[in-house]
Amino acid sequence: MTRSWPRRFRGYRLKDNLLAYALLFPSLLLLAVFTFYPMVKVLDWSFYETVLKERHFAGLDQYKHVLQDEVFHKVLRNNVWLALVTVPVSIWLALYMAVWVNGKLRGRSLIRAAFFYPTLIPMIAIANIWLFIYTPDYGLLDKFLGLFGIQGPGWLGEPGWVLVSMMVMLIWKEAGYFMIFFLAGLQSLPQEVYQAAQMDGAGPLRKFRAITFPLLMPTTLFVLVIATTNSFKLVDHLYIMTKGGPNNASNLLLYHIYETAFSFWDMGKASVLTVILLVMLLAVSIFYYGFLDKRIHY
Amino acid sequence: MHRLLNQMVISLLALGFVMPLIWAAVTSITPSSEMLTRSNPFAVTEPTFGNYFKAWETIPFPIYYWNTIMIVLGILMVQLLTLTLAAYAFARLRFVGQGLLFVLFLVQIMVPPDILIFPNYTVMKELHLIDTKWAIMIPYWASSFGVFLLRQTFKQIPYELDEASRVDGCRWWRTLWHIYLPSARPTYIAFSLISISTHWSNFMWPLIVTDSVNNRPLTVGIAIFAQSFETGAQWGTVTAATMMVISPLLIAFFFFQRKFVESFMHAGLK
């Protein structure tokens, strides 16, 4: 059997092939129906306009409308800012926490739990709690600032502050999750290298820069992909806290899609927005895997 | 010196991290009369469970708990099956198109079903599954994240064990059952805990595909309740309800904390 196969397939066995495809079939079927089919479908819809259940071919018209839409610009800018701030900050914080929680420390498991628990809690529950924390005057934050005689701004009410408030909350939620990945990475680092560095008299900062950080690069890359995807995915809090307001100052792409599709029932525009989001996510991942991956030593 | 400094910084940071939880717990036992008058948000003169009773009366918690548990388990059970099969294929078999299929699986990590809420809603409509628990569960039945996690673990199992069992006349599924499954237990635990907490927490998708109390999970139920309150005096009830949603997860976490963190570390997440 094997002998009649073309050269490049030599070494493959028919039985293995059949078995592999049979084993992969359930997952593949589900991926096809709920990932690939929707992706193709939404691309197709993005070229059609639906008015009173009648579909008209609109070509790139809807893209033109969306790309000229002020609200879209604002939402996109918000989301990009959110990613640019929360992704690096939460990763650095996670790395800092992981390095210290990994070492000798008083109350280590308690501290670890303190960092990790926000990850487990539903975003909806977090939104309920933080909504009250951010409430002007009566909220926990303003009460705390009041001790120092500081009058807080309207954390969720002022366009200039609302996104910052959201960023703080998201970093609080995410950092502990990334910390666990770094902890796992730290555990697998070779101890001999550290002992050698110890004998050379390297300080903790040096050890981190020369050994820990470079060796953790694969973990960092993985966390980077997860963190970036998440920054476009975490939107549940908007439903409770701001509904994207005031004046779209806290609105994000996925929530904008939700509003467009399920409040305004604008299928065409929702499709275009989804396609744009997909392209952005795929581009970022291709950049990470294709570009950064080659610069990282495993 | 720097050790002491870091101990202090990290302890303060940890304190900052638990503050919202402590505050929520305190608020949930504060009577509504004290809610707005108290000057110290952590001081409660007359603690009460009244908020909990009120939340329990207002929100159909038993139905929501039941729905959430059904959904979470309904997702996990199928996931464990699909990802075991796929991970075994990727870890141990050589087949045509392996690289391409690997990339196809990778796409789901970058584009999780949560992003595709709009097209997936129409898929569910075509399948006539709107307002059923199936609609909440099915899109998550395949998990690329789980497949990659488990594949990594399977790869670390020595191949000789495979061959040895084959010589003994075992078919692949017996090898899988008797060798792979037990060796990968930490990974299964880690994945299960992640899956349970993710889907216990999921909100946007269930909000979109359900309309009735009988199919709604806890998160959607409590969000609808939280939207309906008006004054600060009702904070107590809302935080009490929130505590009831998160406590099963927190209790499970504190019980399994060690196991959870350890299994995560052994799971080969590198």
Side-chain angles (χ1 to χ4, degrees):
Chain A
M1 189 67 216
T2 328
R3 206 170 298 159
S4 59
W5 283 41
R7 180 181 284 262
R8 58 182 292 246
F9 293 136
R10 205 170 283 165
Y12 290 96
R13 287 184 310 188
L14 181 65
K15 229 181 88 185
D16 279 2
N17 272 285
L18 290 178
L19 179 58
Y21 277 92
L23 293 178
L24 289 170
F25 180 72
S27 300
L28 267 179
L29 180 71
L30 288 160
L31 286 188
V33 178
F34 297 106
T35 301
F36 299 114
Y37 173 71
M39 282 168 77
V40 173
K41 243 343 201 197
V42 82
L43 180 66
D44 178 36
W45 288 332
S46 70
F47 299 117
Y48 288 90
E49 196 179 11
T50 313
V51 183
L52 297 171
K53 295 203 167 179
E54 277 201 43
R55 267 160 51 106
H56 301 283
F57 184 76
L60 290 172
D61 275 2
Q62 297 193 105
Y63 282 87
K64 223 166 76 188
H65 283 302
V66 168
L67 292 175
Q68 286 167 350
D69 181 12
E70 287 291 323
V71 175
F72 170 71
H73 290 175
K74 203 166 185 175
V75 169
L76 184 66
R77 212 165 33 228
N78 287 343
N79 219 147
V80 170
W81 267 115
L82 191 86
L84 285 178
V85 174
T86 58
V87 171
V89 172
S90 53
I91 289 179
W92 272 110
L93 192 61
L95 194 53
Y96 174 77
M97 298 186 315
V99 167
W100 286 100
V101 167
N102 192 40
K104 288 192 191 76
L105 200 69
R106 267 164 198 278
R108 188 167 73 162
S109 64
L110 265 180
I111 292 176
R112 208 145 69 172
F115 290 144
F116 188 69
Y117 87 92
T119 304
L120 289 175
I121 305 182
M123 190 58 124
I124 282 299
I126 284 173
N128 277 338
I129 296 173
W130 282 72
L131 181 65
F132 301 144
I133 289 178
Y134 281 143
T135 302
D137 300 332
Y138 299 113
L140 184 60
L141 186 58
D142 274 9
K143 282 244 162 93
F144 178 72
L145 290 176
L147 293 177
F148 307 96
I150 302 170
Q151 169 78 45
W155 300 108
L156 301 176
E158 279 176 32
W161 276 101
V162 66
L163 201 57
V164 178
S165 307
M166 294 299 183
M167 286 171 180
V168 171
M169 186 187 80
L170 289 177
I171 291 166
W172 171 83
K173 173 155 174 69
E174 295 258 273
Y177 183 48
F178 305 146
M179 176 191 76
I180 294 284
F181 289 103
F182 283 122
L183 266 177
L186 285 171
Q187 303 270 313
S188 67
L189 297 187
Q191 288 309 307
E192 306 86 56
V193 192
Y194 284 100
Q195 280 154 13
Q198 193 84 43
M199 288 207 281
D200 284 348
L205 214 63
R206 208 39 240 282
K207 269 192 262 180
F208 178 78
R209 266 222 320 264
I211 308 171
T212 313
F213 190 66
L215 285 178
L216 277 181
M217 262 335 246
T219 310
T220 312
L221 177 69
F222 181 72
V223 172
L224 208 55
V225 173
I226 303 254
T228 312
T229 311
N230 277 358
S231 66
F232 288 91
K233 197 175 83 175
L234 300 174
V235 292
D236 297 355
H237 58 287
L238 295 178
Y239 184 87
I240 295 277
M241 297 173 89
T242 63
K243 301 267 177 198
N247 192 18
N248 286 310
S250 65
N251 209 347
L252 301 173
L253 264 176
L254 189 56
Y255 194 78
H256 189 45
I257 292 173
Y258 162 75
E259 283 180 320
T260 310
F262 302 105
S263 298
F264 309 129
W265 296 101
D266 189 340
M267 314 270 284
K269 194 178 166 194
S271 306
V272 172
L273 289 168
T274 305
V275 171
I276 293 173
L277 181 54
L278 288 179
V279 169
M280 286 174 60
L281 285 175
L282 290 176
V284 169
S285 320
I286 289 169
F287 171 76
Y288 282 157
Y289 282 114
F291 184 76
L292 291 179
D293 211 19
K294 292 200 178 59
R295 279 156 186 76
I296 293 166
H297 301 284
Y298 283 92
Chain B
M1 182 60 202
H2 63 258
R3 170 140 287 162
L4 193 70
L5 193 72
N6 268 293
Q7 170 87 52
M8 273 170 63
V9 172
I10 210 115
S11 304
L12 277 177
L13 199 61
L15 195 65
F17 265 69
V18 286
M19 208 45 86
L21 182 64
I22 295 174
W23 181 80
V26 170
T27 305
S28 71
I29 53 165
T30 309
S32 53
S33 54
E34 285 178 43
M35 197 63 69
L36 297 176
T37 52
R38 66 194 173 158
S39 56
N40 176 356
F42 293 101
V44 190
T45 42
E46 281 174 66
T48 167
F49 281 105
N51 293 321
Y52 284 89
F53 291 123
K54 199 162 170 225
W56 186 267
E57 275 168 20
T58 328
I59 308 172
F61 268 109
I63 300 175
Y64 290 156
Y65 272 122
W66 175 249
N67 290 346
T68 299
I69 291 168
M70 290 301 288
I71 290 163
V72 163
L73 292 182
I75 293 173
L76 183 64
M77 293 304 154
V78 182
Q79 275 181 336
L80 290 180
L81 182 71
T82 58
L83 67 94
T84 301
L85 300 180
Y88 181 79
F90 275 128
R92 282 294 182 252
L93 299 171
R94 289 194 65 213
F95 50 95
V96 182
Q98 193 158 11
L100 177 73
L101 284 184
F102 198 75
V103 173
L104 286 184
F105 272 72
L106 214 57
V107 170
Q108 200 213 20
I109 292 203
M110 304 151 202
V111 185
D114 314 62
I115 301 282
L116 297 163
I117 45 171
F118 171 56
N120 269 336
Y121 173 81
T122 55
V123 170
M124 282 305 162
K125 222 170 168 181
E126 284 166 29
L127 296 171
H128 300 289
L129 288 174
I130 295 296
D131 201 24
T132 62
K133 292 187 196 72
W134 298 110
I136 304 176
M137 297 190 279
I138 302 176
Y140 299 99
W141 274 356
S143 162
S144 292
F145 174 74
V147 171
F148 292 132
L149 198 66
L150 198 58
R151 166 185 167 267
Q152 209 62 32
T153 312
F154 281 176
K155 280 196 136 179
Q156 286 161 7
I157 296 168
Y159 197 64
E160 290 78 49
L161 284 175
D162 253 68
E163 276 162 358
S165 66
R166 200 169 298 156
V167 172
D168 286 347
C170 276
R171 302 298 301 273
W172 64 270
W173 61 81
R174 297 197 56 189
T175 319
L176 189 63
W177 187 257
H178 290 296
I179 293 171
Y180 283 77
L181 258 53
S183 332
R185 190 182 286 153
T187 312
Y188 279 113
I189 293 174
F191 176 79
S192 303
L193 290 167
I194 296 171
S195 172
I196 288 170
S197 74
T198 308
H199 296 292
W200 190 283
S201 303
N202 202 0
F203 168 71
M204 194 57 100
W205 177 245
L207 173 75
I208 292 167
V209 292
T210 58
D211 315 298
S212 60
V213 171
N214 285 327
N215 292 312
R216 250 179 231 151
L218 269 173
T219 46
V220 177
I222 197 185
I224 288 169
F225 171 72
Q227 292 290 295
S228 65
F229 77 96
E230 275 132 29
T231 66
Q234 281 165 301
W235 284 10
T237 325
V238 178
T239 39
T242 307
M243 291 303 288
M244 284 199 268
V245 174
I246 64 179
S247 39
L249 293 169
L250 287 179
I251 291 167
F253 172 60
F254 282 110
F255 254 102
F256 291 112
Q257 213 226 112
R258 273 208 102 146
K259 207 161 200 141
F260 182 67
V261 177
E262 272 168 23
S263 57
F264 225 113
M265 290 173 181
H266 292 153
L269 281 168
K270 290 161 208 164

